Amino acid sequence: MRYDTELATAIPLRRLEAAPENLLTLFGDHSLDAYRLGMQRCVSLVHHSLSRHQRPFSGVEPDELQPEFDAIDLDRPLPNVEAGLEEIQRLYLDHAVHFHNPSYVAHLNCPVTLPSILAEAIATPLNTAVETWDQSAGATLIEQKLIDWTTARIGLGDAADGVFTSGGTQSNLMALMIARDAACAELPGHAGNRHHGLPADYRRLRILTSEVSHFSVQKAASLLGLGYDAVIPVPCDDDKRMSLEALRARLEDCHRDALLPFAVVATAGTTDFGSIDPIPGIAELCRSRGIWLHVDAAYGGGLLLSRRYRHWLAGIEQADSVSVDYHKTFFQPVSCSACLVRDRRQLGHVTYHADYLNPRDQADQGTPDLVNKSLQTTRRFDALKLWLTLRTLGAATLGGYLDDVIALTRRTYALLQERDDIDVLTAPALSTLVFRYRPAGIRDDATIEAINHHVRHTLSRRGEGVVAGTRVDECFYLKFTLLNPQTQIEDMRRLIERIVAHGEAFVADHGHLETASNAAGYDSEVAPSVMATFADAGRT
Ligand SMILES: *Cc1c(COP(=O)(O)O)cnc(C)c1O
């Protein structure tokens, strides 16, 4: 099997029409006309490419694309921009994964709003960096107003503040760093991490989070000098929500073992299941023990704008800090995210004054230098796209998009449930569905896994659909992440039909599989041979 060759053939390009002034120069007053022509050319290129490629993916694999890259010498530039664009089309556009395609249902990637794209086109040539007022002026105030709007939507109160970040990973790191340092500042005899590093008994520090929370919590623990093992996984209920009973028990274990649980991370929208932890109960447990509550709403944050489902986030207003990814359920281009805190004084844990950038007296005079509350220094003006989206499309429209996606997920769930050859793991919460194809008579997990790997690979290879895979209790599952309000239930019906067709074909091609499974019920001999055959099938 090869990737879709129709898509991979070079598309004749309409070249730059008017003889452009030389585009091989810097952006500046002298090149404004060239800039305009160049931009128009790029817009045409994307338009041309996307109107031709109706599939989510070409199906290309790394070993097919790599040779093209091996042939390129970065020290020998092409003669002109036209040649550079042609090369980009061949290396990138022809094989790009299209998140706006209805058959792209793999990860938490969204189609983006048109106003957000326009805003990106404005912010990039200006190259505004938002770390200090003297580099950004109005851009700083635009970001600040969006931060204030978000904290008000959450209900964090008048003392709240925050900053844009590169994503939920950075937001979680920042929140947990602040939580760690706030907790350590309270330890007797410890003068504070910022000057003296971790306290002597830092090995007792613990973070609690559900067993299905995002891996960035573990990464943050490692970066914070605590290590992965400082994260205590809390079991979930059947709906993959953190169990309050289990949390209480783990906190008691910590107490018994003289550990210092300084933060609980509740997830509002887990990556695999979209499940939302019971925030009010978690908040109560945290408050009574003086533990920092961080809510990771990287995925579920968009519910802040939902007319129908805002109440799913009940309790989020009690958080000490919150992560929100605008580049997920607010339909913004990557990167666009924020870390919000209830008490703006806590942001002092990330402040460092440098005479050459953000001197202390400048802050004392009230100059709004965003670097004072950011882990990053030079930082993109990622707020402008959200700004133009809110000022034109409006928040209610974004909320409506998410409502539509949730409705589509429920209808897709019904389609999957109608079939007796598909197992769906849990009822949907936000917009994911975890399931596997399991034809009658086949029981053993390794065989089912081989079939589902084949289904996923074949869909992608043929450019018919991009679905994710995950593992739950050791078993492999397929996953739909629905984040495109333009997708229709008919699109999902077609995709499910393809899934079943590829599954059936695989079973038919490996006839011994069914009989062996039927005969033995569980036949451990079948699995390795199927896996071997599968490995061959993937290569042809
Ligand atoms: C996506 C996600 C993250 C990580 O966010 P990035 O923007 O990818 O860094 C963290 N937590 C949850 C629950 C997520 O879904």
Side-chain angles (χ1 to χ4, degrees):
M1 199 190 340
R2 272 187 61 77
Y3 61 86
D4 189 323
T5 43
E6 185 238 338
L7 297 189
T9 48
I11 296 165
L13 287 162
R14 263 182 48 229
R15 294 164 169 269
L16 276 162
E17 273 158 20
E21 292 156 69
N22 193 358
L23 275 159
L24 302 179
T25 182
L26 291 170
F27 178 74
D29 292 344
H30 66 100
S31 59
L32 288 176
D33 289 339
Y35 154 72
R36 188 178 52 206
L37 284 169
M39 288 302 287
Q40 286 165 350
R41 178 69 187 84
C42 287
V43 170
S44 305
L45 177 65
V46 172
H47 182 281
H48 188 61
S49 169
L50 294 191
S51 50
R52 199 188 141 97
H53 294 199
Q54 304 294 340
R55 299 183 177 205
F57 181 44
S58 74
V60 75
E61 300 206 340
D63 58 356
E64 292 162 338
L65 209 44
Q66 185 61 46
E68 308 245 19
F69 285 82
D70 295 341
I72 287 171
D73 179 355
L74 290 177
D75 290 320
R76 291 165 51 112
L78 295 164
N80 52 50
V81 167
E82 196 57 61
L85 293 177
E86 241 164 271
E87 187 178 85
I88 284 177
Q89 169 156 19
R90 190 162 48 79
L91 299 177
Y92 165 61
L93 281 175
D94 280 349
H95 303 292
V97 181
H98 296 164
F99 300 156
H100 62 276
N101 185 290
S103 300
Y104 177 87
V105 286
H107 302 287
L108 278 165
N109 308 108
C110 54
V112 296
T113 70
L114 264 186
S116 67
I117 299 173
L118 306 185
E120 288 281 58
I122 294 170
T124 297
L126 276 292
N127 198 27
T128 293
V130 286
E131 67 260 38
T132 54
W133 164 261
D134 71 356
Q135 298 175 68
S136 60
T140 284
L141 301 183
I142 282 176
E143 172 167 328
Q144 186 63 50
K145 198 163 170 82
L146 289 166
I147 289 291
D148 294 344
W149 172 81
T150 309
T151 60
R153 284 271 179 172
I154 298 171
L156 284 180
D158 293 341
D161 198 1
V163 73
F164 271 58
T165 67
S166 61
T169 302
Q170 194 193 348
S171 296
N172 287 347
L173 171 64
M174 175 171 167
L176 289 171
M177 175 183 162
I178 292 172
R180 180 198 66 179
D181 290 359
C184 289
E186 300 287 309
L187 290 180
H190 185 61
N193 297 350
R194 270 199 293 157
H195 288 274
H196 304 290
L198 294 170
D201 51 0
Y202 73 92
R203 288 178 194 282
R204 292 160 55 210
L205 293 168
R206 292 292 182 276
I207 299 165
L208 291 95
T209 189
S210 103
E211 59 189 350
V212 296
S213 70
H214 196 263
F215 73 100
S216 52
V217 177
Q218 276 78 6
K219 272 200 184 178
S222 167
L223 284 162
L224 293 174
L226 310 177
Y228 295 163
D229 293 346
V231 179
I232 299 178
V234 181
C236 290
D237 64 16
D238 290 344
D239 294 324
K240 305 291 179 188
R241 295 153 37 97
M242 190 194 289
S243 152
L244 285 175
E245 283 314 300
L247 175 61
R248 191 177 294 114
R250 292 294 184 279
L251 287 169
E252 275 157 22
D253 292 348
C254 287
H255 184 71
R256 185 197 60 212
D257 300 340
L259 297 172
L260 298 170
F262 69 94
V264 173
V265 179
T267 312
T270 58
T271 311
D272 267 351
F273 307 100
S275 48
I276 297 172
D277 287 337
I279 305 173
I282 296 172
E284 201 180 306
L285 284 174
C286 286
R287 194 165 347 117
S288 64
R289 288 165 170 80
I291 297 173
W292 185 282
L293 171 59
H294 175 64
V295 175
D296 178 0
Y299 177 9
L303 293 170
L304 293 168
L305 313 184
S306 164
R307 206 165 45 82
R308 304 182 63 178
Y309 306 111
R310 169 64 179 83
H311 61 278
W312 288 359
L313 292 179
I316 194 173
E317 70 286 350
Q318 300 176 56
D320 295 294
S321 55
V322 178
S323 298
V324 171
D325 263 356
Y326 305 113
H327 62 218
K328 287 178 180 164
T329 44
F330 289 68
F331 305 95
Q332 298 302 301
V334 174
S335 293
C336 200
S337 181
C339 177
L340 300 317
V341 297
R342 155 181 306 288
D343 178 353
R344 66 168 61 92
R345 288 171 304 183
Q346 300 287 4
L347 293 168
H349 288 293
V350 299
T351 308
Y352 191 103
H353 291 292
D355 291 335
Y356 48 79
L357 187 66
N358 58 334
R360 183 183 299 275
D361 56 347
Q362 204 162 286
D364 292 344
Q365 287 155 23
T367 306
D369 292 333
L370 296 177
V371 71
N372 293 341
K373 48 184 180 175
S374 174
L375 293 182
Q376 291 165 273
T377 308
T378 306
R379 193 156 58 80
R380 280 172 51 82
F381 182 22
D382 286 320
L384 189 65
K385 48 203 172 191
L386 179 60
W387 179 270
L388 192 61
T389 299
L390 293 182
R391 298 302 293 147
T392 55
L393 265 184
T397 302
L398 295 185
Y401 288 161
L402 186 56
D403 288 352
D404 290 348
V405 162
I406 292 170
L408 176 72
T409 308
R410 292 175 171 197
R411 296 182 65 193
T412 306
Y413 175 59
L415 286 185
L416 292 171
Q417 275 212 311
E418 275 169 15
R419 305 197 57 102
D420 47 21
D421 51 3
I422 287 182
D423 287 343
V424 196
L425 202 63
T426 54
L430 270 170
S431 64
T432 62
L433 291 161
V434 178
F435 63 94
R436 56 185 189 166
Y437 174 71
R438 190 173 61 88
I442 297 184
R443 287 212 163 61
D444 106 83
D445 277 327
T447 307
I448 297 170
E449 172 161 349
I451 299 171
N452 281 276
H453 274 298
H454 169 81
V455 166
R456 177 168 180 235
H457 179 259
T458 309
L459 285 174
S460 163
R461 190 68 174 152
R462 297 190 178 182
E464 293 173 345
V466 186
V467 306
T470 189
R471 208 166 270 285
V472 183
D473 298 332
E474 320 267 298
C475 296
F476 180 75
Y477 284 85
L478 303 176
K479 179 171 77 166
F480 289 158
T481 304
L482 300 170
L483 221 46
N484 187 349
Q486 301 159 121
T487 302
Q488 302 294 315
I489 192 67
E490 281 314 313
D491 298 313
M492 297 312 297
R493 191 190 303 277
R494 262 195 303 278
L495 186 58
I496 293 166
E497 279 164 9
R498 297 314 302 153
I499 287 170
V500 170
H502 294 317
E504 284 172 349
F506 185 79
V507 173
D509 285 354
H510 302 80
H512 62 283
L513 201 161
E514 205 164 6
T515 38
S517 286
N518 279 343
Y522 179 91
D523 184 345
S524 57
E525 294 301 303
V526 171
S529 69
V530 171
M531 288 305 238
T533 329
F534 166 63
D536 293 343
R539 289 272 133 230
T540 51

